[in-house]
Amino acid sequence: TKQPVRVAVTGAAGQIGYSLLFRIASGDMLGKDQPVILQLLEITPALKALNGVVMELRDCAFPLLADIVTSDDPMVAFKDVDYALLVGAMPRKAGMERGDLLGANGGIFKPQGEALNAVASRDVKVLVVGNPANTNALIAQQNAPDLNPGQFTAMVRLDHNRAISQLAEKTGKPVSSIKNLTIWGNHSSTQYPDLSQATVDGQPALDQVDRDWYENSYISTVAKRGAAIIEARGLSSAASAASAAIDHMRDWALGTPEGEWVSMGIPSDGSYGIPEGLIYGFPVTCKNGKYEIVQGLPVSDFSRGKMDATAQELSEERDEVRKLGLV
Ligand code: NAX
């Protein structure tokens, strides 16, 4: 049997945590043969609630759950971790400007980056879920100079999965028939869900839907799905966000299927003209625990405009956090 790996989750007593922890512990993320030690970080006032979640985790008697550590100190929670899912973040409050939001989150992601740098496994794989996810990932990455920047990623997989599901509904085809769509850019309303390379049952997706529907309805429906969930449920996406986090980490660790790609927010290497260093959604394939950007895809003028607009937003966020001295 395999040795357990250590998985850190922050914001573990929150909504997403309540779904995510049970999926990790049951083997959905790293495989049904991979024992895990959960290392859970919360703020001090939430430790009591976290303890209740830990009681439930134990009550599931998951065969793969080797141990659970809880702490309000990132230096403890991140000690020797192989995977870190950074979910806890500061939500945008009414009247908050983007600078305020980025500053408040800098207070979380700067020390967490430093702690990962100091105590995590040298091969740690980091996924930032907490919003604004791309720029929070940038802050953590910039404060972990001893780790490879590529070890820091942000989640656009929920957008990717939403994009699959919307296309499946429109075409009346199963989600499993849909391949190779891409979420470019920021996990925000400027994201670009790109169907130009996508296929449904092996046929080009854009031959099967109306161009007007794609440009004027589909893209905004995917980008605004989070708000639609809040409107309907009274709470933000949680189980679907957790499921996307599982998908992101599973594919990164265990690989993507041959001939298919997924979307991950990763530090740009300049591919597709995206400014180097921005944490930007790209099409990637994964193999042996490494991801690679899918190269050489054609980019239409329509795509170019959308890809540049979301890059521009991320550049502005980077300028803000530079001004705040966070990166
Ligand atoms: P909750 O408010 O339910 O839970 C967040 C938890 O984080 C709380 O228990 C809080 O005590 C904890 N926390 C706050 N600061 C912390 C710190 N410094 N260290 C450790 N824990 C800390 O939010 P939830 O619904 O679980 O969402 C978590 C984050 O995910 C939010 O920022 C949310 O905006 C973001 N999302 C990102 C998505 C994505 O696709 N990238 C989609 C879903 C979600 O909206």
Side-chain angles (χ1 to χ4, degrees), residues 10-17 41-43 46 87-91 107-108 112 128-133 155-159 162 187 236-238 241:
T10 74
Q15 282 207 91
I16 294 175
L41 182 70
E42 259 297 351
I43 52 174
V87 179
M90 182 74 79
I108 297 174
Q112 290 188 0
V128 176
V129 174
N131 279 323
M155 189 163 95
V156 294
R157 187 61 176 266
L158 179 54
D159 308 298
R162 286 167 171 165
H187 168 67
S236 57
S237 316

Side-chain angles (χ1 to χ4, degrees), residues 58 77 93 98 245 269:
R58 295 202 190 285
K93 301 204 182 88
R98 181 159 70 179
D269 62 356

Side-chain angles (χ1 to χ4, degrees), residues 6 33 40 86 88 93 96 129 134 136 140 148 150 168 192 233 241 266 269 281 283 293 298 308 317:
R6 295 177 181 274
D33 60 346
L40 308 178
L86 309 187
K93 301 204 182 88
M96 233 183 187
V129 174
N134 299 53
N136 287 341
N148 184 322
Y192 173 38
R233 207 173 81 91
I266 58 171
D269 62 356
I293 296 175
D308 288 345
E317 291 184 15

